[in-house]
Amino acid sequence: MKPTDISDPDYFHKVVDCQWACPAHTPVPEYIRLIAGKRYTDAYMINWESNVFPGILGRTCDRPCEPACRRGRVEEQPVAICRLKRVAADYKSDIKDRLPGVPKRKNGRHIALVGAGPASLTVARDLLPLGYEITVFDRDAAAGGAMRTQIPRFRLPVEVLEEELNYVLHMGVDRRFGTEITSMKELLAEGFDAVFVGTGAPLGKTLDLPGFAEAKPNIHTGIEWLANVAFEHIDSIGETVIVLGGGNTAMDCCRSSKRLGGEDVKVVVRSGFDEMKASPWEIEDAMNEDIPILNFCVPKRYLLKDGKLCGMEFEKVRREYDGNGRRLLIPTGEEPLVLPCDDVLCAIGQDNAFPWIERDLGIEFDRWELPVLDKTTFQSTHEKVFFGGDAALGPDNIITAVAHGHAAALSIHLLCEGRDVKDRPADLTTLASQKMGIHQWSYDNDISNDVRYIVPHAAKEKTLNDINIEVELGFDEDLGYAETQRCLNCDVQTVFTTRSCIECDACVDICPTDCITFTANGEEGELRQRLLAPAENEEQDIYVSDTLGTGRIMAKNEDLCLHCGLCAERCPTAAWDMQKYLFNTAKAVNA
Amino acid sequence: MSYIVKPKFHHPQLQKNDLGYTRRDYEGTLTTLCGGCGHDSISAAIIHAVHEMSLAPHQLAKVSGIGCSSKIPSYFLERSHGFNSVHGRMPSIATGANLANRELYYLGISGDGDTASIGLGQFCHIVRRRINMLYIVANNGTYGLTKGQLSATADLGSKTKSGEESRYDNIDLVSLAIDLGASFVARSFSGDKEQLVPLIQAGLSHRGFALIDVISPCVTFNNTPLSAHGYKNTWENNVVLSEIDFVPMRKEITARYSAGKDKEITLHDGSVIHLHKTGSGHDPGNRENALLHVNEHKKQGKIATGLLYINQDQSDFHELADTVNKPFNRLNEHDLCPGGEVLADINETFM
């Protein structure tokens, strides 16, 4: 193998698994250390710069960081990153004086944002401090998009939502809420310097089965129903409810139903329980509220009584795989399952829809009716039109929408400056030694052996009776601190200097997870097999040094490194050093 | 010295031995030696060796004297028996313990000061008495604990960090042990675990007195380019006289070994040493030759390592002294007070 090029900004970034997995690349270990030091406001601001909605995301994020967390590879459970983010939001002090200033004198550029969801508001946040004028359009009367309409209040209190929306809106956004844009052509004709489309994926699906026409009044589209609940247009549901679908929307639908009068609420999924798309913790929360989830049941018909929905019939199936490894659902031949119900909520997916964008404007769409985009710049085939969030690449999550927003804001800024949108500034990185004394580091390398702490919940009797009562209480300061101590500080990198090494084996002997081997060089596949402990996780790199005095190389398996710094503490020549790698994505302000 | 406790987390695929223990289960407390000390590598090699042999911790007793070397039993096998004795007096303790319980594995840990200076007399006698143990000398050619004076094993002309040159020829423990009748004598290097681990396993399994002289550099006081016991000099001048693999008893012998190229030595407990030919022409079965080879290499400034001499058939102390074959703690009243008839028989012999 060639010596590892640690000057490649991706190399150490990849080692910080959580940050690498986060679409917005939030510097997670950095803010976790600040929480441990009770510097909640500082921790919050690191988040705010990176993901704009820390309090919202600390409750609702899809947490791509957690499955990636290294802690999950050395013990059972990852660090509760998401809920620590909430700790920062819950215990911070007033941040208003830390928000970026917005110049009174504008730069003469005017940008239209369609949709007031996370993607658009991120664009606004990034561009307002640079002097842009921003007009935000939304068909709803209030900002927030899916964060307001799709996430029930018992998961995200309205005060938290509005606080974080207002940080952006109060920066001086021109709001045009409550009016739907019906023509892109007209919008472009208004002379905006750029238009950003962040309209989400607003099209819910229903299931057209026999009996649909008659049963229709009691069949609801999950996302529309949730939006109506959020705006308090709906405040009740039948006693017996069937929720179709296994995603997070289904979980929100069933739990909301339970709070609006649903006594007997069931979730029914076509495939296996283990194939459900919902986040494991959402499923767990639903089951904790005594909502059964029935799997391998394919909906067949709506059952009617007196011309009104009274139940549903399901075919029971089992799972098999064909020769190509494709999953098949084969009817078992058992009696069909009949479930009575007063209402059905269909949470079986959602689609993008752009009926308001005329197809002769130079904005191309692909065969799935998604806009043709550059995946880095989020520019469409029309120079001035950008897309982000669910509207860009199909339904995903809030944090992805935020990441799109940052990228699009940067593109818009480059465009307005007359620069090439593809010539983007480099991301911001620093790498600095954390050595304080002979065996002292600026970070706490004595990590805790504790297993993941559970976030306390409010009493079920209380929460099930009021849809506005938040279920999760969040960590208190003590629990939050204890959880921070599980973080392995993966951003504090083990940096190796070949010429200083005397090959004494001290690092090899001390390493708790057998990461380091001194051996003859070889091809990666073969080298992985003959390290001190096998390095089978190929997603994780092997850090290889230059040739050493004895002709061998140092090979370190990044996979299981605890970043405990013992290699550097035992190293007599400081050939190993612990250096903090701080990575921030380049945003509009850096261009 | 490090202040944190070594994290308990380990590689998820860390191998378990026949007893279900991982290597980490054979560790001790975190070392307090200087970073880079060769002695820590010896600790690590012992942990590897004992884990691989699937020895239960209670089957082994660690004995040591005084010195940086003699601290290291704290850093491995924390659940084994142990005795940290007076300076240079480890052999007396080891002898006594061995007399009392012949069934344990005895691992003596000593240094060049503890063995070649203050304890030289004791060392000579334990070799001569053929006590069944493995005696490891962590040999760095310097008194590290008293800040780096030359020790009795420092080579002629070797210089310490302060520039002091050794004016006397060194005591070569390997030659001395062979001369005094040790039946297993090896030399190794703390930086080369591939060599050291099987030697430790073979030494523990060997019946009789086994010595491994381990060059174990002192990074703080004796690791300059002019130190004979430094990492650089040892890497550069290490001449491997014999390479061995060790197969513990009960383990199946894999087909890797070809009868023509390798020599098999079966130890008293049924384990097997595979001796690979290295081209050195060295035969560890020949005592005179072993002495000759060691001295020849020394003259050229080379360090002869590997298994230098072995006589797996030599009788040990218990055989020579015709001791009782049970550990003392298992002798019962009947064994100890066999009764009037036996007494009468004994008295009869004086008539």
Side-chain angles (χ1 to χ4, degrees), chain A residues 54 141 165 242 325 338 459 489 510 526:
Chain A
L165 295 175
I242 295 177
V338 173
N489 303 288
I510 200 72
E526 173 263 341

Side-chain angles (χ1 to χ4, degrees), chain A residues 491-506:
Chain A
D491 59 340
V492 183
Q493 307 285 348
T494 55
V495 179
F496 185 76
T497 310
T498 305
R499 69 188 145 71
S500 303
C501 178
I502 58 166
E503 300 179 66
C504 67
D505 267 7

Side-chain angles (χ1 to χ4, degrees), chain A residues 80-119:
Chain A
I81 300 169
C82 181
R83 293 326 187 233
L84 285 174
K85 191 194 304 286
R86 174 176 169 178
V87 169
D90 284 357
Y91 294 96
K92 67 178 187 301
S93 45
D94 188 8
I95 61 147
K96 291 205 184 73
D97 60 339
R98 298 194 184 207
L99 295 174
V102 176
K104 286 216 168 66
R105 208 187 135 110
K106 300 297 171 190
N107 69 1
R109 304 288 184 180
H110 198 164
I111 314 296
L113 311 179
V114 187

